[in-house]
Structures are given as C-alpha cells and as structure tokens.
Amino acid sequence: MVTLWRLMVVGWRDSRVPYVEQSSSGGNMTTEFENRYAVGPNEVKGFDTQQLRDEFLVNKLMQADKVYWLYTHYERFMVGSAVPVTKSLALETLDALKQPSFLQGRELGIINVGGEGVVLADGIEYSLGFKDALYLGKETQDVVFTSKNPDMPAKFYLNSAPAHRKYPNKLVTKADANVLHMGNLDTSNERDINQMLINTVIETCQLQMGLTELKTGSVWNTMPAHQHDRRNEVYFYFEVPAEQAVCHFMGEPHETRHIWVHNEQAVVSPPWSIHSGAGTQNYSFIWGMAGENLDYTDMDFHAPTALR
C-alpha cells in the first residue's frame, strides 16, 4: 500500500537548489530527500569553496533511524543511506519520483559498511555482512532494512538509477567480487578494486558499483585520474579515521578543483569532471556509476603531468 507523504520545504541551498524533507502523516521523520540540479564546467569556474561543497559534497549520509536520499540530475542518479538502529526502515516512494513504489522504474544497489544487517525484499531475506552488496531490480515492491544488533547497526549505502528492464535480485558478498590489484607502494597507490555490482559479475540495467581498498602506506586513488563523458560517478569515502581526511580532486583536467572529505561522506562527480583523491592515510571508498554503457574500461585517462 502506498504511504501518503507530506512534503515539507525547510530551507534553500540557493535560489535553484531546494532542500526538502519528507515525513509520514504521523510526523515520524524517517525519510529525508534532497534535490540538486546539474551544473556545467563554466559555472563551476566561478565557485568558491563553499559553493563547490554545496553543489557536490554529500555530507548527510548515515543518519540513525533515517533513510536519506540525494537526487542528482546527472543521469538522474540517486545516492543515499539507511541506518536502522532502534527500528526497521522501509524504502518508501518519494513524491519527486511520481511512482507508486520506489523501484517501479529504478534499480537499487546496496553495500553494507556497518554491522550485520538484513534487507527484506518482496518477502525474501538477504543477510549482508560488512562490505557485502545486494542488487535489487526494477519493480521490486517492498523493501525493509533491519540491523541484527542495534549496538552495532548496519549502515546501508545506497545507489539508484533509472531502469528500463527488470533483472533478478542478487546478493553479492565481498568474497564473490572480481578483484583487480592495481598500483604499487612506489607511487603510493597500491589498492584492491572489488568489482561487485557490474556486468562481469551480475546483470544490471545501467547501475555499477564496487569498492576500492587502499593498502597501508598508499593514499592515492584512481591515479592516473580519468573521466568518462558517457556516465557520472559518485565516490563514498569510509574507513577514514576521525583525525584524518581525504582530498578529493574534481573539475576539468586543465582546471581542477578540490573538496576535503571526511568519513562516510561522498562526492558527486559529473561526466565532465575527473575524479581522484589522496588521503592523509589509507582508506576505502565505494564507487557507483550510471550512464550510456556498461563498459567498465570506458575511461579517458589524464597523466599526472597533464593536470592543471
């Protein structure tokens, strides 16, 4: 049954990017929603630090007992989280989607970065341990998130993209991932890329997700930097100690910008932007993509000497 929602506009980032929140008719806030429109490279050239962060940093993820969503207009990609602590959380539809259920015309990728949790999807339970992933296909109707231990709650990181075809729901544990060992300590970028929700592992419509783990002593991710004009990407940084940080680089190759990121924050990367980062120590991050094709190697590389 579709839940009736009351849309509450509670503030504005600027004249064109509203921040909105949704609550059930009973007033129990469980879902928060934000909408951001796409901007081009010419606009970004004039941004100061705060404008850059307002536009591309996602810093409201992993709120206890809440589902949070950011709707971007890059490939209509959505990034979010669900953290069930004292209660289970339902994946509710949003007024902005104009659909009777959230996944009526979308697919969903889930990676757990917390304690053990369970996702109940159309009556089937999927148990997710730390760094396990779950794909839910188009037209999945009822989805509920639960933690097995409220003292160590699950932290479900969520990515969603429009889907034109239904593919089967499937659990992909970290042990099931296709692992690429890349880089080396000489260039401070030795890392394991765990390909999880991509077409060499499972069938998806356009969504791709995986996680990268940097080895001790390595700090650079995705170097040489690249961009892919045919899809967007979002980086979610985690396992970043409280006293450390990651500097995420974005922008055009000849005119780069940077955003300082802390634990469990994400950065939205438009198709025209590079994406790379360096931390004050090693860390992990989840990458999620959607766009024109499913070719993981579809990247335009830029050597370190070419960056400006």
Side-chain angles (χ1 to χ4, degrees):
M1 189 170 80
V2 177
T3 302
L4 295 178
W5 292 90
R6 172 168 54 91
L7 190 63
M8 301 171 57
V9 178
V10 299
W12 293 84
R13 287 191 171 278
D14 59 34
S15 61
R16 59 182 184 76
V17 187
Y19 165 79
V20 297
E21 193 164 325
Q22 296 204 344
S23 69
S24 65
S25 56
N28 183 23
M29 297 289 203
T30 57
T31 300
E32 187 173 332
F33 170 76
E34 185 176 350
N35 182 46
R36 295 189 198 172
Y37 289 97
V39 295
N42 288 335
E43 293 177 86
V44 173
K45 287 179 182 180
F47 283 2
D48 62 18
T49 299
Q50 191 57 54
Q51 287 174 300
L52 201 68
R53 294 173 69 84
D54 286 346
E55 201 67 55
F56 300 107
L57 180 66
V58 188
N59 60 2
K60 301 190 72 176
L61 296 165
M62 303 304 169
Q63 300 180 57
D65 286 329
K66 185 175 283 189
V67 177
Y68 170 80
W69 282 113
L70 171 66
Y71 187 110
T72 83
H73 286 257
Y74 304 103
E75 310 295 346
R76 300 197 175 273
F77 193 89
M78 295 180 69
V79 54
S81 61
V83 184
V85 181
T86 64
K87 58 187 175 183
S88 297
L89 297 173
L91 179 66
E92 300 280 3
T93 192
L94 301 166
D95 181 73
L97 297 181
K98 305 299 181 186
Q99 294 283 5
S101 64
F102 188 95
L103 295 176
Q104 185 66 30
R106 285 185 161 269
E107 56 188 346
L108 176 65
I110 304 165
I111 297 181
N112 182 18
V113 297
E116 286 191 88
V118 174
V119 178
L120 181 67
D122 286 347
I124 300 176
E125 286 192 357
Y126 299 91
S127 294
L128 277 74
F130 184 54
K131 297 182 179 179
D132 287 344
L134 176 65
Y135 173 80
L136 297 181
K138 179 180 182 288
E139 298 174 10
T140 301
Q141 294 298 310
D142 300 309
V143 180
V144 179
F145 304 98
T146 306
S147 294
K148 289 189 176 182
N149 181 358
D151 294 327
M152 297 181 63
K155 294 182 176 181
F156 298 109
Y157 176 65
L158 313 174
N159 283 179
S160 178
H164 63 270
R165 182 176 177 181
K166 181 178 180 178
Y167 288 102
N169 298 341
K170 186 174 181 179
L171 177 70
V172 179
T173 69
K174 189 167 180 289
D176 298 326
N178 180 44
V179 182
L180 306 177
H181 184 73
M182 304 289 286
N184 57 69
L185 280 176
D186 291 342
T187 49
S188 303
N189 65 355
E190 185 179 8
R191 61 200 189 274
D192 286 336
I193 300 174
N194 297 273
Q195 298 177 324
M196 302 184 79
L197 305 184
I198 73 168
N199 66 336
T200 55
V201 178
I202 66 168
E203 288 185 302
T204 69
C205 197
Q206 64 166 322
L207 181 66
Q208 300 183 74
M209 290 181 74
L211 66 93
T212 298
E213 302 164 302
L214 276 74
K215 303 293 185 179
T216 301
S218 289
V219 296
W220 279 101
N221 72 65
T222 320
M223 186 53 68
H226 68 264
Q227 63 188 120
H228 22 68
D229 200 45
R230 292 147 296 280
R231 57 177 180 249
N232 78 311
E233 190 157 2
V234 175
Y235 275 17
F236 169 74
Y237 292 93
F238 69 109
E239 295 190 304
V240 181
E243 67 278 9
Q244 306 296 334
V246 178
C247 189
H248 179 94
F249 294 91
M250 61 167 298
E252 295 178 282
H254 63 277
E255 193 157 344
T256 58
R257 298 288 187 270
H258 70 271
I259 298 176
W260 282 98
V261 182
H262 298 282
N263 191 45
E264 295 178 350
Q265 295 182 340
V267 179
V268 177
S269 183
W272 51 264
S273 174
I274 65 163
H275 29 276
S276 183
T280 52
Q281 75 166 67
N282 63 307
Y283 52 91
S284 299
F285 71 97
I286 294 172
W287 40 269
M289 303 181 286
E292 187 173 332
N293 61 53
L294 293 172
D295 180 5
Y296 178 81
T297 63
D298 180 7
M299 307 173 190
D300 301 319
F301 288 96
H302 302 281
T305 54
L307 300 176
R308 298 290 185 268

